[in-house]
Every structure is written in structure tokens, then in C-alpha cells.
């Protein structure tokens, strides 16, 4: 047969088969980021159950489950991005999800604390390998004019998990037990891996960039002025949030209302994240971050006051928890905006470093909260408020640090 090209004057009515496959893959990738985010945040919802089952304190359970995962993710993310750069993307993403699923299964079956710690490190390996690649792949699967939307869908999976992870963990632990809850997360990871293998087209790996080259951007003063603020800010919000169950009990929220309070935090997180994006575009990063840290200091400070005075004001606590969630997750858009401004040619790298800093902050907050926990939740809330105030002061001292745009 001869090669005949038939042209039509009609503009395409909608996306073609390849584009539809790309959009379907993006939705499955988003489900994967939801699974990763749920794994990262769900554990905080049933820390008391883990502690009781493994016969350790809640603080030790938090550090073994949350801190270990966060620290391992932060350290491994740039290392794995370098080590896996040349691997075909579909194989990498499917393997990462299977590793994450197996890690959650190991956590669900953990007979003791050491096994739980090892399984959480393994989970961080899967999560750190999956999340950065998922965003890049989603952008490569669609037309240029659809890339921002594809990225928003994939990142949306993580945002939803951030908002729902702890309340879902609390609910699942109450009705099913924490081991079954982690088993469900494991099953979700494997299900998404199968979906990706069936739907996502094959994509080649990328050129390998040495780790030293990737991290050279950390020598820039303006980048160094931004990343520690992410660690401080996330540490402030997670000091108490990692121990949300005892935190809510300390301000006289009955166990039956914990789920509502955690959903209020999640609602605040989503609204704060969305509002911060629009506000940063209109007014810039510094005013948004300033307002966020003032709100975080006030909400955590007032919760500390309620805890210290043994006050029972459920409606007030609900409003404070909503404000706490909004102020906690309003940080990411303006922080990413600042990083892209000071290092425009290394935008993907500095954004990934900011993600590592988020997890370092989560780990820091969990450790500090665990140290303060024996002194009572008033001390934990107060420590979180102090860290938020420190973040506010750090912002004011470093906000004017610049690097040449040509860098």
C-alpha cells in the first residue's frame, strides 16, 4: 500500500486517542500522589493505637512512624532523583508504588517497634521515588497548553491527602484498627501501580545530572534564606498536629468530635493553600507569609491558653483549628514563588528541595512535640506557637535577600 496522507479542514473536536490516554494517566498519577500523601499523613490519626499495641509511648510511636518517614524522605528525594534518572518512567513509577505498598503491608504486620521503623524507611524510599517523577511525567503526557492543569491534578492528589489523611486515619483506626488501615493504603498503592502499568504509555528516562550539580544551588544566599523558613514553618504546625489526638483531648474535645475537628483542619489546609496562591500572585510572597505566621502563632498560642486554663469551648477550638490548618498550608505557594524568583533556571530543582524541607520540618516538629509531650499539651502548643513566631521573625530578617536574576 502507498503512504497516503489525508488532510481535513476540520479542527479536532477534542483530544485524540493519545491525548485521552495521557489525561487518563494523569488521573491515575494523581491517585498515586493521593496514596503517597495518605501514607505520609494517615499515621498521625492513630498514633495512640500504635503506641498501645506496640507498648511504647505516643511520643516514641510518633517519632518512629512520622519522624523516621519524613527524615528519610527528605534525605532520599534528591539522591533517588539522581540514581533513577535514566530508568524508564513507567517502570520507575510502578516500582515505587509497589515498594510503598509492600512497606505499608510490613508496617501493618509489624510485631515490634524496630520492624515498624524499617518499614517506614522503606515507605519513604517508595514515596521519594514516586512523587517528583509523577509531576514531571504528567507534564510530558499532555499538550503544552494543558500542562499546568495536569500538574494541578497530580499535585491535587497530594493536597487532598494532606487534608484528609489524618481524619481518615482516625476514622479507620476507630472502625477497623490501625493495622487494617495501613493494609488498605497498601492495597491502594498496588491498585494504582496496576492502573499505571495498564494505562500509562512508555516514556524513556532522563539524562543523569550529578548530585553535586543538583545541590550546587544551595550555595546561593537567597535560596538558603527560603528553605530554612519552610523547615521552621512546617515544624511549627506539626509540633502539635503530629499528636492531634492528645492535642484535641487537652482542650476538652470529646473523642466523638475528633473526626470533625480534623476535617476542619483539612478544610482550612485546602482553603489556605488555594487562597495563598491567588494572594501571592496579587500581593507577593512576603505579605501572605507574614499573615500566615501571625495566624499560626495566634491559633497555637490560644490553644495553649485554653489547654492551660482547662477551658471547654468547642466552637472556639473548631475555629482555631480551622485557622491553624489554613495558616499551616498557606506557606507552600509563596515559598515556591520565592524560590522560583531567586533561581528561575533551576525551578524544578528548588521546588523539589522545598518538598524535602517540608518533610524535614514535619520530622523536626514531631521530634520537638514528642520531647515536650511529657510536660503536657500546653507545652506542645506553646512550643508550636514559639516556632511560628520564630518563622515570622526569620522571614522579616531574610525577606530582602536577593540573587542576580541571571543566575
Amino acid at each position: 500500500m502507498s503512504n497516503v496522507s489525508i488532510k481535513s479542514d476540520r479542527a479536532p473536536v477534542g483530544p485524540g486517542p493519545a491525548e485521552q490516554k495521557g489525561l487518563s494517566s494523569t488521573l491515575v498519577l494523581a491517585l498515586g500522589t493521593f496514596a503517597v500523601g495518605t501514607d505520609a499523613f494517615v499515621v498521625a490519626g492513630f498514633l495512640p493505637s500504635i503506641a498501645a499495641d506496640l507498648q511504647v509511648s505516643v511520643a516514641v510511636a510518633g517519632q518512629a512512624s512520622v519522624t523516621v518517614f519524613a527524615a528519610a524522605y527528605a534525605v532520599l528525594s534528591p539522591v533517588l532523583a539522581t540514581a533513577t534518572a535514566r530508568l524508564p518512567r513507567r517502570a520507575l513509577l510502578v516500582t515505587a508504588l509497589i515498594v510503598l505498598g509492600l512497606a505499608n503491608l510490613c508496617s501493618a504486620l509489624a510485631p515490634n517497634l524496630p520492624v515498624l521503623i524499617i518499614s517506614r524507611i522503606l515507605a519513604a524510599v517508595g514515596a521519594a521515588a514516586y512523587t517528583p517523577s509523577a509531576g514531571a511525567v504528567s507534564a510530558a503526557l499532555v499538550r503544552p497548553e494543558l500542562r499546568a492543569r495536569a500538574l494541578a491534578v497530580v499535585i491535587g492528589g497530594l493536597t487532598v491527602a494532606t487534608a484528609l489523611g489524618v481524619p481518615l486515619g482516625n476514622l479507620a483506626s476507630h472502625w477497623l484498627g490501625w493495622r487494617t488501615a495501613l493494609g488498605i493504603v497498601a492495597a491502594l498503592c498496588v491498585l494504582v501501580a496496576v492502573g499505571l502499568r495498564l494505562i500509562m504509555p512508555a516514556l524513556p528516562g532522563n539524562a543523569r545530572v550529578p548530585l553535586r550539580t543538583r545541590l550546587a544551588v544551595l550555595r546561593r544566599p537567597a535560596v538558603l534564606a527560603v528553605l530554612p523558613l519552610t523547615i521552621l514553618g512546617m515544624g511549627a504546625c506539626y509540633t502539635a498536629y503530629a499528636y492531634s489526638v492528645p492535642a484535641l483531648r487537652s482542650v476538652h474535645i470529646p473523642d466523638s468530635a475528633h473526626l470533625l475537628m480534623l476535617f476542619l483542619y483539612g478544610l482550612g489546609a485546602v482553603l489556605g493553600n488555594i487562597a495563598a496562591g491567588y494572594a501571592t500572585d496579587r500581593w507577593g510572597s512576603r505579605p501572605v507569609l507574614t499573615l500566615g505566621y501571625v495566624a499560626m502563632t495566634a491559633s497555637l498560642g490560644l490553644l495553649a491558653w485554653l489547654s492551660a486554663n482547662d477551658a471547654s469551648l468547642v466552637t472556639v477550638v473548631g475555629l482555631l483549628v480551622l485557622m491553624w490548618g489554613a495558616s499551616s498550608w498557606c506557606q507552600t505557594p509563596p515559598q515556591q514563588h520565592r524560590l522560583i524568583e531567586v533561581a528561575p533556571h533551576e525551578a524544578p530543582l528548588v521546588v523539589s528541595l522545598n518538598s524535602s524541607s517540608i518533610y524535614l520540618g514535619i520530622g523536626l516538629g514531631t521530634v520537638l512535640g514528642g520531647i515536650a509531650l511529657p510536660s503536657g499539651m500546653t507545652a506542645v502548643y506553646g512550643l508550636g506557637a514559639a516556632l511560628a513566631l520564630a518563622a515570622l521573625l526569620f522571614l522579616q530578617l531574610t525577606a530582602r535577600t536577593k540573587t542576580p536574576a541571571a543566575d
Side-chain angles (χ1 to χ4, degrees):
M1 291 179 66
S2 59
N3 236 351
V4 180
S5 175
I6 301 175
K7 295 183 180 179
S8 170
D9 293 333
R10 293 183 181 179
V13 176
E19 192 71 26
Q20 288 177 335
K21 194 169 185 178
L23 292 171
S24 298
S25 298
T26 297
L27 293 174
V28 180
L29 286 167
L31 191 57
T33 55
F34 175 77
V36 170
T38 301
D39 175 76
F41 299 110
V42 73
V43 179
F46 43 71
L47 281 182
S49 299
I50 294 177
D53 202 2
L54 299 182
Q55 298 182 337
V56 296
S57 68
V58 174
V60 170
Q63 290 168 19
S65 303
V66 181
T67 305
V68 166
F69 178 93
Y73 183 105
V75 172
L76 290 171
S77 186
V79 175
L80 289 174
T82 302
T84 63
R86 293 182 179 177
L87 293 179
R89 298 296 91 182
R90 184 174 64 189
L92 172 62
L93 292 169
V94 169
T95 302
L97 285 171
I98 290 174
V99 169
L100 186 63
L102 289 174
N104 275 280
L105 185 60
C106 289
S107 296
L109 299 174
N112 52 46
L113 194 66
V115 174
L116 180 65
I117 291 172
I118 292 170
S119 68
R120 294 303 290 162
I121 294 173
L122 185 62
V125 171
Y130 180 87
T131 306
S133 297
V137 166
S138 69
L141 288 174
V142 298
R143 298 193 306 267
E145 59 268 27
L146 296 176
R147 283 176 184 168
R149 274 171 278 183
L151 282 166
V153 168
V154 173
I155 295 169
L158 190 60
T159 304
V160 171
T162 300
L164 300 182
V166 174
L168 285 176
N170 183 268
L171 182 64
S173 177
H174 179 73
W175 289 105
L176 305 171
W178 69 272
R179 294 183 185 275
T180 303
L182 286 178
I184 292 172
V185 176
L188 177 61
C189 293
V190 174
L191 181 65
V192 177
V194 172
L196 276 180
R197 181 63 185 83
L198 294 175
I199 294 174
M200 181 179 156
L203 290 175
N206 304 313
R208 186 177 182 275
V209 179
L211 184 61
R212 180 180 299 179
T213 303
R214 287 177 179 271
L215 299 181
V217 71
L218 290 175
R219 293 198 293 265
R220 300 187 185 183
V223 173
L224 287 175
V226 176
L227 294 178
L229 182 62
T230 296
I231 297 172
L232 265 178
M234 291 306 300
C237 70
Y238 239 78
T239 299
Y241 190 62
Y243 307 98
S244 52
V245 174
L248 291 171
R249 286 173 179 165
S250 76
V251 287
H252 294 282
I253 301 300
D255 288 0
S256 60
H258 283 189
L259 189 62
L260 172 62
M261 291 295 167
L262 292 172
F263 271 115
L264 283 174
Y265 180 96
L267 176 63
V270 172
L271 294 177
N273 187 62
I274 294 171
Y278 284 104
T280 299
D281 283 338
R282 182 163 185 178
W283 294 298
S285 304
R286 186 176 177 182
V288 175
L289 287 167
T290 298
L291 179 61
Y293 293 132
V294 168
M296 195 189 305
T297 302
S299 59
L300 290 171
L302 287 170
L303 286 167
W305 184 87
L306 290 172
S307 178
N309 287 275
D310 206 28
S312 180
L313 300 169
V314 175
T315 303
V316 172
V317 171
L319 292 173
L320 291 174
V321 167
L322 183 72
M323 185 165 72
W324 177 15
S327 61
S328 298
W329 289 97
C330 77
Q331 303 175 69
T332 305
Q335 282 289 87
Q336 289 181 344
H337 186 269
R338 293 177 73 202
L339 285 166
I340 293 170
E341 273 190 331
V342 300
H345 302 300
E346 294 87 8
L349 173 60
V350 292
V351 169
S352 70
L353 289 174
N354 193 58
S355 296
S356 291
S357 298
I358 288 173
Y359 281 96
L360 280 175
I362 290 172
L364 172 68
T366 308
V367 168
L368 294 177
I371 292 172
L373 195 58
S375 300
M377 281 309 305
T378 299
V380 176
Y381 280 129
L383 182 58
L387 286 175
L389 181 59
L392 177 63
L393 295 175
F394 185 89
L395 171 67
Q396 305 310 315
L397 290 172
T398 61
R400 299 185 183 279
T401 307
K402 302 281 186 185
T403 56
D407 280 359

